[in-house]
Amino acid sequence: MPENEPWEYTLYIPNDVRAVTVARRTLRLILTLHGLIRLTDTAELLAAELVSNAVRHTKGPAALRVRWSAGVLRIGAWDADPEPPEPPGELGVLGKEGRGLALVRACADLWGWQPLARHGNRGKYVWCELAAA
């Protein structure tokens, strides 16, 4: 598949801390197979933070979605909690807790979140983007 053609993958994960490792390794494989190895290290960090938040701060299942379109990689995590994520703080001021979204904000080109409702289920989708250029 040429690098400029869009694609998307979704990995559904249980509420289990091991899901973070599964998500990171799956993302690395996806990016390697699509010839985007140059984005892998940053993408893995971002995905790990998003999935970790989804697993640690909610009680239900979660999902990792990875999409490539028009030279932009979008990484997102869905979880079953409709509450907005805590706003990111400043990296230099934070302790061990609360640095996840600050890392996302610092490393991604763009990030955000949106509430989701589908088939009677509510939740949120927290995403970030990396441009290939």
Side-chain angles (χ1 to χ4, degrees):
M1 179 178 284
E3 188 177 309
N4 58 355
E5 287 190 31
W7 48 261
E8 182 175 307
Y9 294 87
T10 302
L11 174 66
Y12 295 95
I13 54 179
N15 191 284
D16 183 329
V17 294
R18 294 172 290 192
V20 177
T21 300
V22 171
R24 287 181 67 182
R25 290 182 179 171
T26 302
L27 177 61
R28 178 171 285 276
L29 180 60
I30 291 168
L31 295 178
T32 299
L33 292 174
H34 282 283
L36 296 170
I37 194 75
R38 66 191 177 280
L39 299 178
T40 302
D41 291 337
T42 303
E44 271 190 291
L45 171 68
L46 296 171
E49 294 298 338
L50 296 178
V51 172
S52 177
N53 283 346
V55 170
R56 289 179 61 215
H57 300 295
T58 67
K59 295 183 189 320
L64 172 70
R65 180 180 294 160
V66 183
R67 185 181 74 194
W68 173 259
S69 181
V72 175
L73 180 69
R74 178 175 275 207
I75 303 163
W78 168 85
D79 65 55
D81 183 2
E83 294 298 313
E86 290 291 322
E90 295 299 321
L91 277 177
V93 181
L94 297 172
K96 186 176 179 182
E97 294 293 318
R99 62 180 175 83
L101 286 180
L103 279 171
V104 171
R105 182 180 65 191
C107 295
D109 295 318
L110 190 63
W111 81 278
W113 79 278
Q114 60 196 67
L116 293 178
R118 188 172 175 189
H119 307 297
N121 298 320
R122 296 179 54 199
K124 68 179 166 295
Y125 181 65
V126 183
W127 55 269
C128 61
E129 293 182 346
L130 289 174

